[in-house]
């Protein structure tokens, strides 16, 4: 069975990978996202990938409509935390 589009396997570990939409890349501060899902289990990685897709969809929509007060990204070498409506969304 093929991997989900945003799921990547490097070595034995699965990663979430996503291209940031062009219209929000400037506000987001990067053009791509790659995050370790912290698992070697494919079924678990599929579930985590789906959850990350939903979180980033909400974040990008918020940025797209100028709701930057509600959605921010703490940038670092590895993306580790997003905030949406004041709630920290921790990424593994």
């Amino acid at each position: 069975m093929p991997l989900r589009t945003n799921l990547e396997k490097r070595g034995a570990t699965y990663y979430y990978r996503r291209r940031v939409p062009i219209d929000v890349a400037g506000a987001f501060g990067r053009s791509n996202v790659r995050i370790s899902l912290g698992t070697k289990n494919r079924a678990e990685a599929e579930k985590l990938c789906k959850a990350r897709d939903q979180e980033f969809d909400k974040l990008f929509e918020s940025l797209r409509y100028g709701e930057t007060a509600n959605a921010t990204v703490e940038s670092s070498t590895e993306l580790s935390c997003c905030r949406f409506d004041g709630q920290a969304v921790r990424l593994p």
Side-chain angles (χ1 to χ4, degrees), residues 52-86:
R52 297 299 172 256
D53 272 336
Q54 292 171 349
E55 290 168 3
F56 277 99
D57 285 344
K58 287 180 184 179
L59 179 65
F60 294 151
E61 282 299 306
S62 184
L63 291 171
R64 188 170 283 127
Y65 294 106
E67 299 171 14
T68 54
N70 294 335
T72 59
V73 175
E74 295 175 8
S75 61
S76 64
T77 305
E78 284 289 323
L79 184 65
S80 62
C81 179
C82 295
R83 295 192 185 279
F84 183 75
D85 286 334

Side-chain angles (χ1 to χ4, degrees), residues 11 14 18 26 36 41 45:
Y14 287 93
R18 183 167 181 169
S36 172
N41 180 288

Side-chain angles (χ1 to χ4, degrees), residues 3-4 6-9 12-16 36-53:
L3 293 176
R4 291 178 57 95
N6 294 336
L7 192 61
E8 177 181 276
K9 188 174 183 182
T13 304
Y14 287 93
Y15 285 77
Y16 176 78
S36 172
L37 294 173
T39 186
K40 297 177 182 180
N41 180 288
R42 181 179 173 155
E44 184 179 353
E46 293 272 349
K47 290 177 187 176
L48 292 169
C49 185
K50 184 176 179 179
R52 297 299 172 256
D53 272 336

